[in-house]
Coordinates of all heavy atoms in Angstrom, one line a residue:
D665 N 25.3 6.1 6.0 CA 25.2 7.4 5.5 C 24.0 8.1 6.1 O 24.0 9.3 6.5 CB 25.1 7.5 4.0 CG 26.4 7.1 3.3 OD1 27.5 7.1 4.0 OD2 26.4 6.8 2.1
L666 N 22.9 7.3 6.1 CA 21.6 7.9 6.7 C 21.8 8.3 8.1 O 21.3 9.4 8.5 CB 20.5 6.8 6.6 CG 19.8 6.7 5.3 CD1 18.9 5.4 5.3 CD2 18.8 7.9 5.0
K667 N 22.4 7.4 8.9 CA 22.5 7.7 10.3 C 23.4 8.9 10.6 O 23.2 9.7 11.5 CB 23.0 6.5 11.1 CG 22.0 5.4 11.2 CD 22.4 4.3 12.1 CE 21.3 3.2 12.2 NZ 21.7 2.1 13.0
R668 N 24.5 9.0 9.7 CA 25.4 10.1 9.9 C 24.7 11.5 9.5 O 24.8 12.5 10.2 CB 26.6 9.9 9.0 CG 27.7 10.9 9.3 CD 28.9 10.9 8.4 NE 28.4 11.0 7.0 CZ 28.6 10.1 6.0 NH1 29.3 9.1 6.3 NH2 28.2 10.4 4.8
E669 N 24.0 11.5 8.4 CA 23.4 12.8 7.9 C 22.2 13.2 8.7 O 21.8 14.3 8.8 CB 23.1 12.7 6.4 CG 24.3 12.5 5.5 CD 25.2 13.8 5.5 OE1 24.8 14.8 6.0 OE2 26.4 13.6 5.1
I670 N 21.4 12.2 9.1 CA 20.1 12.5 9.7 C 20.0 11.9 11.1 O 19.6 10.8 11.4 CB 18.9 11.9 8.9 CG1 19.1 12.3 7.4 CG2 17.6 12.3 9.4 CD1 18.3 11.5 6.4
P671 N 20.5 12.6 12.1 CA 20.5 12.1 13.5 C 19.1 11.7 13.9 O 18.2 12.4 13.7 CB 21.1 13.3 14.3 CG 21.8 14.2 13.3 CD 21.1 14.0 12.0
G672 N 19.0 10.6 14.6 CA 17.7 10.1 15.1 C 16.9 9.4 14.0 O 15.7 9.1 14.3
V673 N 17.4 9.2 12.8 CA 16.6 8.6 11.8 C 16.2 7.2 12.2 O 16.9 6.5 12.8 CB 17.4 8.5 10.4 CG1 18.6 7.5 10.5 CG2 16.5 8.2 9.2
A674 N 14.9 6.9 11.8 CA 14.4 5.5 12.1 C 14.4 4.8 10.8 O 14.1 5.3 9.7 CB 13.0 5.6 12.6
I675 N 14.8 3.5 10.9 CA 14.9 2.7 9.7 C 14.1 1.5 9.9 O 14.2 0.8 10.9 CB 16.4 2.3 9.4 CG1 17.2 3.6 9.2 CG2 16.5 1.4 8.1 CD1 18.7 3.4 9.0
S676 N 13.2 1.2 8.9 CA 12.4 0.0 9.0 C 12.6 -0.8 7.7 O 13.2 -0.3 6.8 CB 10.9 0.4 9.1 OG 10.5 1.2 8.0
T677 N 12.1 -2.0 7.7 CA 12.5 -2.9 6.5 C 11.5 -4.0 6.2 O 10.5 -4.1 7.0 CB 13.9 -3.5 6.8 OG1 14.4 -3.9 5.6 CG2 13.8 -4.6 7.8
D678 N 11.6 -4.6 5.1 CA 10.9 -5.9 4.8 C 12.0 -7.0 4.7 O 13.0 -6.8 4.1 CB 10.2 -5.8 3.4 CG 9.1 -4.8 3.4 OD1 8.7 -4.3 4.4 OD2 8.7 -4.5 2.2
I679 N 11.7 -8.1 5.3 CA 12.6 -9.3 5.2 C 11.8 -10.5 4.8 O 10.7 -10.8 5.3 CB 13.3 -9.5 6.6 CG1 14.0 -8.3 7.0 CG2 14.2 -10.8 6.5 CD1 14.6 -8.4 8.5
I680 N 12.4 -11.2 3.8 CA 11.8 -12.5 3.4 C 12.6 -13.7 4.0 O 13.9 -13.7 3.8 CB 11.8 -12.6 1.9 CG1 10.9 -11.5 1.3 CG2 11.3 -14.0 1.4 CD1 10.8 -11.5 -0.2
V681 N 12.0 -14.6 4.6 CA 12.7 -15.7 5.2 C 12.4 -17.0 4.4 O 11.3 -17.2 4.0 CB 12.2 -16.0 6.7 CG1 12.8 -17.3 7.2 CG2 12.5 -14.8 7.6
G682 N 13.5 -17.7 4.1 CA 13.3 -19.0 3.3 C 13.2 -18.8 1.8 O 12.5 -19.6 1.2
F683 N 13.8 -17.8 1.3 CA 13.9 -17.7 -0.2 C 14.6 -19.0 -0.7 O 15.5 -19.5 0.0 CB 14.7 -16.5 -0.6 CG 14.8 -16.2 -2.0 CD1 13.8 -15.7 -2.8 CD2 16.0 -16.6 -2.7 CE1 13.9 -15.5 -4.1 CE2 16.1 -16.4 -4.1 CZ 15.0 -15.9 -4.8
P684 N 14.2 -19.5 -1.9 CA 14.8 -20.7 -2.4 C 16.4 -20.7 -2.3 O 17.0 -19.8 -2.6 CB 14.4 -20.8 -3.8 CG 13.1 -20.0 -3.9 CD 13.3 -19.0 -2.8
G685 N 16.9 -21.8 -1.7 CA 18.3 -22.0 -1.6 C 19.0 -21.3 -0.4 O 20.2 -21.3 -0.2
E686 N 18.1 -20.6 0.4 CA 18.7 -19.9 1.6 C 19.2 -21.0 2.6 O 18.5 -21.8 3.0 CB 17.6 -19.1 2.3 CG 18.1 -18.3 3.5 CD 16.9 -17.7 4.4 OE1 16.2 -18.5 5.1 OE2 16.7 -16.5 4.2
T687 N 20.6 -20.9 2.8 CA 21.2 -21.8 3.8 C 21.2 -21.2 5.2 O 20.9 -20.1 5.4 CB 22.7 -22.0 3.4 OG1 23.3 -20.8 3.5 CG2 22.8 -22.6 1.9
E688 N 21.6 -22.0 6.1 CA 21.7 -21.6 7.5 C 22.7 -20.4 7.6 O 22.4 -19.4 8.3 CB 22.2 -22.8 8.3 CG 22.0 -22.8 9.8 CD 20.6 -22.4 10.3 OE1 19.6 -22.6 9.6 OE2 20.6 -21.7 11.3
E689 N 23.7 -20.5 6.8 CA 24.7 -19.4 6.8 C 24.1 -18.1 6.2 O 24.3 -17.0 6.8 CB 25.9 -19.8 5.9 CG 27.1 -19.0 6.1 CD 28.2 -19.4 5.1 OE1 28.2 -20.5 4.6 OE2 29.1 -18.5 4.8
D690 N 23.3 -18.2 5.1 CA 22.6 -17.0 4.6 C 21.7 -16.4 5.6 O 21.7 -15.2 5.8 CB 21.8 -17.4 3.4 CG 22.6 -17.9 2.2 OD1 23.7 -17.3 1.9 OD2 22.2 -18.8 1.5
F691 N 21.0 -17.3 6.3 CA 20.0 -16.8 7.3 C 20.7 -16.1 8.4 O 20.3 -15.1 8.9 CB 19.1 -18.0 7.8 CG 18.2 -17.5 8.8 CD1 17.1 -16.6 8.5 CD2 18.3 -17.9 10.2 CE1 16.3 -16.2 9.5 CE2 17.4 -17.5 11.1 CZ 16.4 -16.6 10.8
N692 N 21.9 -16.7 8.8 CA 22.7 -16.0 9.9 C 23.1 -14.7 9.5 O 23.2 -13.7 10.3 CB 23.8 -16.9 10.3 CG 23.4 -18.0 11.3 OD1 22.4 -17.8 12.0 ND2 24.0 -19.2 11.2
D693 N 23.4 -14.5 8.2 CA 23.8 -13.2 7.6 C 22.6 -12.2 7.8 O 22.8 -11.0 8.1 CB 24.1 -13.3 6.1 CG 25.5 -13.8 5.9 OD1 26.3 -13.9 6.9 OD2 25.8 -14.2 4.7
T694 N 21.4 -12.7 7.6 CA 20.2 -11.8 7.9 C 20.2 -11.4 9.3 O 20.0 -10.2 9.7 CB 18.9 -12.5 7.4 OG1 19.0 -12.8 6.0 CG2 17.7 -11.6 7.7
L695 N 20.4 -12.4 10.2 CA 20.3 -12.1 11.6 C 21.4 -11.0 12.0 O 21.1 -10.1 12.8 CB 20.5 -13.3 12.5 CG 19.4 -14.4 12.4 CD1 19.8 -15.6 13.3 CD2 18.1 -13.8 12.8
S696 N 22.6 -11.2 11.5 CA 23.6 -10.3 11.9 C 23.4 -8.9 11.3 O 23.7 -7.9 11.9 CB 25.0 -10.8 11.5 OG 25.2 -10.9 10.1
L697 N 22.8 -8.9 10.1 CA 22.5 -7.6 9.5 C 21.5 -6.8 10.3 O 21.6 -5.6 10.6 CB 22.0 -7.7 8.0 CG 21.7 -6.4 7.4 CD1 22.4 -6.2 6.0 CD2 20.2 -6.3 7.2
V698 N 20.5 -7.6 10.8 CA 19.4 -7.0 11.6 C 20.0 -6.3 12.8 O 19.7 -5.2 13.2 CB 18.4 -8.1 11.9 CG1 17.5 -7.7 13.1 CG2 17.5 -8.4 10.7
E699 N 21.0 -7.0 13.4 CA 21.6 -6.5 14.6 C 22.5 -5.3 14.3 O 22.5 -4.3 15.0 CB 22.5 -7.6 15.3 CG 21.7 -8.5 16.1 CD 22.4 -9.7 16.7 OE1 23.5 -10.0 16.2 OE2 21.9 -10.3 17.6
E700 N 23.2 -5.4 13.2 CA 24.0 -4.2 12.8 C 23.2 -3.0 12.5 O 23.6 -1.9 12.8 CB 24.9 -4.7 11.5 CG 26.2 -4.0 11.6 CD 27.2 -4.7 10.6 OE1 27.1 -5.9 10.4 OE2 28.0 -3.9 10.0
V701 N 22.1 -3.1 11.8 CA 21.3 -1.9 11.4 C 20.6 -1.4 12.6 O 20.5 -0.2 12.9 CB 20.3 -2.3 10.3 CG1 19.4 -1.1 10.0 CG2 21.0 -2.7 9.0
G702 N 20.1 -2.3 13.5 CA 19.3 -1.9 14.6 C 17.9 -1.3 14.2 O 17.7 -0.1 14.5

Side-chain angles (χ1 to χ4, degrees):
D665 290 346
L666 276 167
K667 288 188 176 174
R668 190 189 55 237
E669 294 294 345
I670 309 164
V673 68
I675 301 174
S676 57
T677 199
D678 294 346
I679 300 173
I680 298 177
V681 174
F683 181 79
E686 183 189 74
T687 61
E688 201 41 38
E689 196 184 337
D690 293 321
F691 178 66
N692 281 327
D693 282 347
T694 298
L695 294 182
S696 67
L697 178 128
V698 160
E699 280 175 341
E700 213 165 323
V701 175

